[in-house]
Amino acid sequence: MHLFNYSLLPSSATTVACVGQFSGTKAQEICVARGATKIELLRTDPQTGKLESIANAEVFGTIRSLAPFKLTGGTKDYIIIGSDSGRIVVLEFDPTTNGFNKLHQETYGRSGSRRIVPGQYLATDPKGRAVMIGAMEKSKLVYILNRDAAANLTISSPLEAHKQRAIIHSIVGVDVGFENPLFAALEVDYGESDNDPTGEAFNAAEKLLTYYELDLGLNHVVRKWSEPTDPRANLLVQVPGGQSATTDKFDGPSGVLVCCEDHIIYKHQGVKEHRVPIPKRAHPLSDPERGVIITSAVMHKMKGAFFFLLQSEEGDLFKVTIEHVEEEVQAVRIKYFDTVPVASSLCILKSGFLFVASEFGNQQLYQFEKLGDDDDETEFSSTDYDDFGAGTEPLPPAWFRPRPLENLALADELDNLSPIIDSKVANFLGEDTPQIYTACGRGARSTVRILRQGLEVVEAVSSELPGAPIAVWTTKIKADDEYDAYIILSFVNGTLVLSIGDTIEEVSDTGFISSSPTLGVQQLGDDALLQIYPRGIRHILADKRVNEWKVGPGQTILSCTTNKRQVVVALSTNEIVYFELDLDGQLNEYQERKDMGVEILTMSIAEVPEGRQRTPYLAVGCADSTVRIISLDPDNTLETLSLQALTAPPSSIVVAEILDASIDKYHATLFVNIGLQNGVLLRTVLDSISGQLTDTRTRFLGSRPVQLVRVPIHGSSAILSLSSRSWLNYLHQNILQFTPLIFDTLDHAWGFSAELCPEGLIGIVGNSLRIFTFPKLGSKVQQTSIPLSYTPRKMIVNPEHKLIYTVESDHRTLGASAQQKLLADQRAAGMEVDQEVADLPFELFGLPRAAAGNWGSCVRIIDPVEASTVFKLDLENNEAAFSVALVKFQAQPEDLFLVVGTGQDTHLAPRSCKSGFLHTYKVVGEGRSLELLHKTETDDVPTALLAFQGRLAAGVGKSLRIYDIGKKKLLRKAENKSFATMVTTLSTQGSRILVGDVQESVHYAVYKAPENRLIVFADDTSPRWTTAATMVDYQTVAAGDKFGNLFVNRLAKSVSDEVDDDPTGASIMHEKSYLMGAPHKTGLLCHYHVNDIITSIHKTSMVAGGRDVLLYTGLLGSVGVLVPFVSSEDVDFFSTLEMHMRTEAPSLVGRDHLAYRGAYAPVKAVVDGDLCNQYALLSMQKQAQIAQELDRTTAEVLKKGETIAASSW
């Protein structure tokens, strides 16, 4: 077995983000690391305030840290990356190629994310002279960055700033102006703790704030200053300092803010420290003893001022200001600002936006409405306390009252699937391709998301018409008009003309003939209009005079094609008549007509190229299933140049010039798009010099004949293909994309441009007229979100009733009934309850925190068609749901039961529970409601449930059990307790059950009904921390582990058959232990590192009539497929291509690709499709060189990659 790994959706989680002027212009961009494996540049649109992606690149490594860096006096920011490659990398964004260039790559250590290899922390000198890269333990290196005589960036050899036996918590550059660069580090020395068996040294260990100075004269790093600080300190924030370049004033006092639990300390060498408390939420459900920790921070400098935004682990933002005179700090002040989702990084843009790179859930862009200077929030200052709050004694607690947003307003939101906990594939919406249903998120911001393949369409106008039009056009009156003036609708027996203004209304004085259907409309020359109808052509001049050309008696026009200077019509006599516009604006017929000898079905010419008088080629589709290219050049007018045979008669042809960087990065390519009557689309390249047709790609679109329309999208031509589903072939980031539309089936469409909708499309659906736009061309998947109450643990589909059942639970929070009880107890004790704060929405402010062992949990039924919750059941008695299964018991075959596995008073570390339960619910009301039948107590938490041969298979702790239904509870029928740690996954075929253990990979078990026994007969040779598994076939399992590896194991067929036949009749052969495990071992077929924790795997077909693939989801929001190769020729081709790509497209972070994909075990029998897809981004010389090595043309290599991608979704 050989597989091709292809990412449908790359990781959407943002692990780190920074802001800078990466394009070298005044505009700022946000650089984000997606799922630590991809780098992306985002920019805010100044008009709309929306975020748009301008570039992204796969790095084939793990990004651990990211920092912007600007040389002194420079205008452009560089990107410095710390990764798992053991190398520091400096990247530059090139706006001309829209890509990232690697300027420097310096090796300093071994690859992999190791404790003592730097890469985890990055700190830059604010004046752009040096950078420090640190490890979690011991190692810190400083690099000096400068420019050479040619103004190119240079990087020095590394200077060591190591400290033995030190754990590093945070590092930051200290702003000291143009004095020697200074870096601050938060360190703990564990040397004494290591050697002290009593543990006293561990309790007495000090956390030190240390300054490291880079002496630029002596070119070495010294430890300048070290002082003990709070042992709970976790984060350092840079404070501005140094003298201003323009005035003698100081930008700030310099130093750092040390963020600790419950308070913030301002510290600097030789300066009095200031300490202020971090305000706590005055929430009736919060625990007053619980500390507050700052998890992310951002500093923003304005002219003559600066402020900090610090975020607590509950999402509350606090504004911190420092009052200073020159370098002397007068006071440190803190106040509540607003509440936003908990972020991994915060970025403030000069244009007045705050980007919140949420840890979980959608990333958000907020606009500053005000800076919170003049509100009523209580401000806490260091001057309120003795000695500015300095010392180790706890400060009196400060409180604030949470409230909805006041200072910020939400401007935009980026979809983020992370974390995906579970997923299912089903086609509940009755589309061509199935939908992926994912359970995402954490806490009250959790969602179930429906992922549908296609471009999201926003409908601006929908209007009913008196009849059903057969075609629609829009046209300008003059060539230089900004917007369209008319909409022309063609009916079977006439034509309707509508004018576009403040309203859309019918007009009759346009010169168009209204008593006949229209075949074509064109704005001709500078200011004329053209209408083609079955009996002739009307050339409407600017002064409303009409020149008419009519066909001969007994003839009609069957099809036509036009551009601004040329008109071609096909007559019922199989003749082609060609017209061209002369310099006086007259339409002249070419003296000869071309007889094709066969019925002409469709024709097309391209737009006139810039600076030319005509386009030289005409494509004609004939009834004999051919397409012919005919010359319109004056030297050989109407001469046939080339011919292509088709599998069916053509229904539509469009010739268009589109710049596809994978074919030619510098010139537009002429494509002939041919739609056939059998629903197939062909895309062929037309050679602009010889007129020959080459490189044909085919795609099945749907059951209806394909109609093609050329439409403008973002200033370049795109092709809209209409079949039983509409598809758009468009340019995005210089690569041609082909994506279906999530919209009603269109009968006809055209481009539409008006003041309110400058770049949209107009389409006909039955007898209604629709005007629509594409807001997100970069996103090929539409996400529909259904909100949940808690973190989803498992989901299951009910295909019979088209419903989804989820179980949700959250640790360290209170369930709905526990919250009500707590509030009632407070009222009973005479305490005042702030009901307004208690009623604040949990999805914005988070669930109330509680002690370990408290849970909130519920069972939910979702209707995916309506995208709504139809039933919700909260669990009582501190029970938490962990597993779910739909079972039809053999004893009651007419009823469907939902079994939910719960644990009461569950603790996660160490793992324990008071009791486990199996709740059995009867599914009633067409699956939309549940009735509790009974509860069955178990001795551990049921972590995996599965319907098995009319019974229930349950993984309860370390044991696998078979249950049957009883009147009072479930009856245990069989049990096997031989599993090492905890059962996490169950899957079945026949009498075989595959059991995934949390530490010991996948076990093969069989249920022997005659003896009523569960026997484990095979297991894995490697211990694997299984997170998800599915059966590929009767002998094969595909699974993922918690280190981000995907593997496929197979049991030998002879063993499999032997176990099923079992000649001994007593299973004696399968009870002899081998290698301290089961008697038989599975063999490893495939192994691959995806760098994301696999949370679900499904064997499914994602394309109508396509082959089965393995679809997997990752915790960080990635969705990918493993496509099996069907021939050894394909295996050899893609393996060789991958080998070439490893050398020609090295990782941006310097990670070796083979080592990256084989991070835990060597990669086996899997080709990296994401790396092969980089082939399209290579230079044309490199493409040709690799293609030659493969004995193929460049087009054939691209086509092969496209074919395999088309079969995946």
Side-chain angles (χ1 to χ4, degrees), residues 543-562:
D543 55 8
K544 292 284 190 286
R545 284 184 299 133
V546 175
N547 292 336
E548 196 152 0
W549 176 88
K550 291 203 170 184
V551 296
Q555 295 179 344
T556 54
I557 297 173
L558 294 180
S559 68
C560 62
T561 179
T562 60

Side-chain angles (χ1 to χ4, degrees), residues 1084-1101:
L1084 182 69
L1085 287 185
C1086 306
H1087 196 284
Y1088 185 77
H1089 180 65
V1090 296
N1091 207 16
D1092 196 356
I1093 298 171
I1094 307 298
T1095 53
S1096 67
I1097 304 182
H1098 311 283
K1099 181 189 170 193
T1100 182
S1101 170

Side-chain angles (χ1 to χ4, degrees), residues 851-961:
N854 287 294
W855 293 80
S857 187
C858 70
V859 181
R860 185 185 300 268
I861 303 177
I862 291 168
D863 182 348
V865 179
E866 297 292 325
S868 62
T869 297
V870 294
F871 180 85
K872 182 187 166 193
L873 179 72
D874 283 301
L875 297 183
E876 307 290 332
N877 305 324
N878 200 27
E879 283 187 53
F882 293 97
S883 53
V884 64
L886 272 173
V887 189
K888 272 197 171 174
F889 287 103
Q890 221 166 0
Q892 297 187 30
E894 67 284 350
D895 293 324
L896 187 64
F897 294 93
L898 186 79
V899 184
V900 178
T902 69
Q904 189 176 15
D905 300 343
T906 309
H907 286 261
L908 296 177
R911 214 166 48 80
S912 64
C913 69
K914 182 180 170 185
S915 177
F917 291 100
L918 288 167
H919 293 237
T920 308
Y921 297 97
K922 188 177 175 183
V923 176
V924 294
E926 294 186 335
R928 291 173 173 258
S929 187
L930 301 174
E931 283 178 6
L932 180 63
L933 195 66
H934 46 61
K935 277 169 75 169
T936 308
E937 195 169 340
T938 59
D939 52 359
D940 207 336
V941 178
T943 47
L945 301 176
L946 179 73
F948 174 71
Q949 296 186 344
R951 292 176 171 183
L952 173 75
V956 180
K958 297 182 181 183
S959 59
L960 173 66
R961 296 175 183 168

Side-chain angles (χ1 to χ4, degrees), residues 356 384 458 531 543 603 652 829 977 1169:
V356 177
D384 300 344
V458 171
Q531 179 192 19
D543 55 8
M603 298 192 299
S652 181
K977 294 184 176 179

Side-chain angles (χ1 to χ4, degrees), residues 251-524:
D251 286 342
S254 188
V256 292
L257 289 182
V258 184
C259 301
C260 317
E261 185 175 2
D262 287 336
H263 56 264
I264 292 157
I265 310 169
Y266 166 77
K267 271 185 175 291
H268 193 36
Q269 185 180 359
V271 173
K272 181 82 181 140
E273 76 171 44
H274 286 246
R275 197 164 64 125
V276 287
I278 302 170
K280 295 182 179 181
R281 281 189 185 182
H283 196 293
L285 294 169
S286 64
D287 179 4
E289 299 303 312
R290 184 183 170 82
V292 183
I293 293 175
I294 298 298
T295 55
S296 56
V298 61
M299 182 269 292
H300 185 61
K301 283 166 86 168
M302 301 173 290
K303 224 172 189 176
F306 62 89
F307 68 89
F308 305 88
L309 285 183
L310 310 183
Q311 189 181 38
S312 75
E313 58 187 332
E314 292 192 324
D316 301 317
L317 288 175
F318 301 101
K319 184 183 178 187
V320 175
T321 50
I322 296 178
E323 199 178 303
H324 66 104
V325 174
E326 297 297 315
E327 287 189 287
E328 187 187 339
V329 174
Q330 306 286 320
V332 176
R333 306 181 189 280
I334 187 168
K335 68 196 291 194
Y336 171 60
F337 189 72
D338 261 332
T339 299
V340 298
V342 181
S344 54
S345 296
L346 296 169
C347 299
I348 295 178
L349 283 77
K350 287 177 183 168
S351 49
F353 290 102
L354 169 70
F355 177 66
V356 177
S358 315
E359 277 187 355
F360 304 111
N362 292 351
Q363 280 117 34
Q364 293 171 325
L365 183 74
Y366 293 90
Q367 188 153 16
F368 283 98
E369 299 279 295
K370 52 185 198 284
L371 290 175
D373 296 327
D374 49 359
D375 56 14
D376 304 330
E377 286 297 332
T378 312
E379 191 168 55
F380 302 93
S381 170
S382 58
T383 54
D384 300 344
Y385 308 97
D386 296 337
D387 201 20
F388 300 120
T392 56
E393 291 299 310
L395 294 169
W399 301 93
F400 75 91
R401 190 169 177 269
R403 51 162 171 73
L405 293 178
E406 271 188 14
N407 300 307
L408 298 169
L410 187 63
D412 195 17
E413 206 167 23
L414 290 180
D415 286 333
N416 175 19
L417 290 169
S418 168
I420 298 178
I421 313 292
D422 197 8
S423 75
K424 291 286 180 278
V425 179
N427 192 356
F428 289 150
L429 305 181
E431 295 178 345
D432 292 356
T433 55
Q435 303 85 49
I436 304 170
Y437 296 87
T438 58
C440 312
R442 179 179 158 191
R445 293 185 73 218
S446 303
T447 53
V448 163
R449 302 205 185 188
I450 305 169
L451 307 183
R452 299 167 67 189
Q453 185 206 19
L455 276 178
E456 195 172 331
V457 175
V458 171
E459 191 172 275
V461 176
S462 176
S463 173
E464 292 299 314
L465 296 169
I470 50 174
V472 61
W473 296 268
T474 57
T475 181
K476 300 173 179 178
I477 293 177
K478 294 182 178 173
D480 51 6
D481 285 354
E482 191 177 352
Y483 301 120
D484 292 327
Y486 296 137
I487 298 170
I488 297 95
L489 295 166
S490 173
F491 295 85
V492 178
N493 55 358
T495 297
L496 182 66
V497 183
L498 308 172
S499 76
I500 306 168
D502 295 335
T503 59
I504 292 177
E505 51 197 33
E506 187 179 343
V507 283
S508 54
D509 59 342
T510 56
F512 283 87
I513 191 165
S514 59
S515 57
S516 168
T518 298
L519 299 175
V521 173
Q522 176 70 46
Q523 192 278 313
L524 208 62

